[in-house]
Amino acid sequence: MPPSPPESRNLGDLVDLAVDRERVLVVDTGAGDATWTGGRIHERARAVAGALRARGLRRGDRVAILSANRAEYLVAVLGIMQAGLVAVPVNIRLPGATVAHILGDSGARLALSDDALPDLPDGLDRMALAEVGRLPSVDDGEVVRPEPGEVAMILYTSGSNGPPKGVPLTHHGHRWVIDERRRPNVDYRAERILVAAPLYHMNALALAQFSLACGSTVVLMPRFDAAGYIDAIERHRCTLITSIPTMLALVCRETERLAATDLSSVRGIRMGSAPVTPELIARLEEAFPAARIQIGYGTTEAGPVVFGPHPDGRPTPALALGCRHPTVKLRLVGPDGGESDRGVLEMKCPAVMPGYHGLPEKTAEAMTADGYYRTGDVMRRDAEGFHYFFGREDDMFVCNGENVHAEEVERRLESMPAVAQACVVPVADEVRGHMPVAWVVPAGGASPDEDAVKGYALASGPAVEHPRRVFFLPELPLGGTNKIDRRELAARAAALVRAALTRDPAAAPRGTSRPSSPVSPPATASPIPREKQQ
């Protein structure tokens, strides 16, 4: 029988039972390193699909998942899709009102959740994820064959610019993602992949789906913790670690633990979803000398297949994302609306969303008339076709009439030996429009002061971009997807600047050369406690 066309392959039907029935595909570190074979994953996913049908859910109904990472989470996603339902992973670190918005906006009929989570909105049916292991096995019921364009899951954006937006993603589009990520002559079944990013985020979910389809072993952490992350690498002999750069920066700060741990199994490091600095790459190369480091790129709205190796085999530069993937259409659009070698990335591929859920105006802003998704990411393409990420279009602000890209200033600050991490945010200013303010994590043992950091920025870049205020933290707060929480840091910076003005209006920074007196952050400026960062 010929293979089914791509449109008919269910994204929940990933396990190859002919090869992986007895192979361990998931190790759940949050459940005492419990192991899940391909056969058990398949059987439990079928049980989930049967239980959802028995509850009266019908094809196209939405089922929300609210949980920390666990094996049952992945199984539930597969079972929901196999039944022809739509999985809605929800960021459990969002405020309760925002979670309620997502549940209502998506039209969720049922929530699969951890027992520890707070009460859900009235009228929403609930099933504990712990029940996944106890559901009765089912022998009846076929895996639903999706129609072309049928939605498999709805992921929600972080909501950094207004309420989170629902992003419908199709079975066909993300089966295409899996197919395109496979490379010939690679023994994926020898890979043990550490996943600590949350499964409600595309970075982790797409990788877990790819791993299940390829027979790799996913070592799944319930939440990120730098020390636990390092320990898991050694305990499970992980060959590939994948993470957001912020998480790996925290790992690199655990110098004593890294030195005492056998990390020789790691052959690859893949990171994405946020800017990467040369300093972070250097620290990772020192900690993992046998690993090949790769910077990935993807978006919720269009998937992770965007860039690839150079078509002529030329080596990818250290900070480059790669060249255009041969099956993807890309273009960089400059301020004048024409194509350029530097501009906002627009892309077109089978994984692009059909449009934001219930938001035609937002869809019109994000999608071009000829079907390209406008990412909002500013990039540069060099003469050889390699692309470099410069920052978010909406993270750019104007100071003294000049455009300032926060990520460029951060890279410059992080090249200072005394700086481990930096986050630059705009603060409104009546003279400049906005002024750059920096939050800095000192490098181990370093004690830079505000004037030293500002002086370094002035000496190494345009005067307009140097931070007019510098505040220090032992670590930067993280948001729900383990990226730096820029919105919170911007609010803190604005409050500190206002407080300084209230105490001494003459101390307000007005010129680029006169340093302002340091302001010690109040108690509210301390980092989010680690347990709440997860």
Side-chain angles (χ1 to χ4, degrees), residues 128-143:
L129 269 176
E131 290 295 315
V132 167
R134 299 188 286 269
L135 293 172
S137 299
V138 295
D139 297 323
D140 58 341
E142 296 292 325
V143 173

Side-chain angles (χ1 to χ4, degrees), residues 252-433:
C252 287
R253 295 176 64 188
E254 299 282 340
T255 52
E256 292 185 6
R257 187 176 293 269
L258 287 170
T261 304
D262 180 3
L263 306 171
S264 60
S265 62
V266 179
R267 300 193 299 268
I269 300 173
R270 180 180 174 88
M271 52 185 165
S273 301
V276 179
T277 65
E279 291 69 31
L280 177 57
I281 290 178
R283 291 196 293 270
L284 289 171
E285 288 175 338
E286 180 180 359
F288 301 91
R292 175 177 176 264
I293 298 174
Q294 181 182 5
I295 302 174
Y297 174 81
T299 66
T300 303
E301 290 88 344
V305 177
V306 186
F307 300 107
H310 193 280
D312 297 332
R314 297 177 185 178
T316 301
L319 290 178
L321 301 171
C323 293
R324 179 185 66 83
H325 192 281
T327 61
V328 177
K329 295 181 179 180
L330 299 180
R331 62 192 181 198
L332 300 181
V333 179
D336 61 355
E339 291 197 47
S340 171
D341 289 333
R342 174 165 176 161
V344 175
L345 178 72
E346 296 182 355
M347 61 179 293
K348 187 177 185 179
C349 69
V352 171
M353 66 173 181
Y356 290 116
H357 174 63
L359 296 171
E361 293 182 359
K362 293 293 184 182
T363 298
E365 294 174 5
M367 302 294 296
T368 66
D370 54 350
Y372 281 74
Y373 167 61
R374 193 172 189 274
T375 67
D377 291 324
V378 180
M379 297 197 180
R380 176 178 67 85
R381 181 178 56 240
D382 68 16
E384 294 184 337
F386 290 109
H387 289 68
Y388 299 80
F389 176 80
F390 269 85
R392 287 286 302 167
E393 183 183 26
D394 50 16
D395 283 338
M396 185 272 292
F397 57 93
V398 176
C399 177
N400 286 337
E402 300 282 345
N403 291 344
V404 176
H405 288 277
E407 288 85 355
E408 292 189 53
V409 186
E410 290 161 5
R411 290 191 189 100
R412 197 172 300 125
L413 293 178
E414 289 175 352
S415 69
M416 183 179 182
V419 173
Q421 282 182 283
C423 179
V424 173
V425 296
V427 171
D429 181 87
E430 64 183 27
V431 175
R432 305 176 186 87

Side-chain angles (χ1 to χ4, degrees), residues 55-138:
R55 284 175 172 258
L57 296 176
R58 297 292 180 261
R59 187 165 179 166
D61 284 345
R62 275 73 160 157
V63 178
I65 308 175
L66 300 95
S67 171
N69 290 356
R70 57 191 295 176
E72 291 88 350
Y73 194 126
L74 287 175
V75 170
V77 170
L78 300 182
I80 291 166
M81 295 178 184
Q82 287 182 16
L85 308 171
V86 178
V88 184
V90 179
N91 181 346
I92 57 175
R93 293 182 57 194
L94 292 171
T98 307
V99 170
H101 163 78
I102 291 173
L103 294 172
D105 182 74
S106 66
R109 292 275 311 279
L110 172 72
L112 297 171
S113 67
D114 279 341
D115 293 335
L117 291 178
D119 292 338
L120 298 173
D122 292 340
L124 180 62
D125 197 8
R126 175 173 177 167
M127 184 171 83
L129 269 176
E131 290 295 315
V132 167
R134 299 188 286 269
L135 293 172
S137 299
V138 295

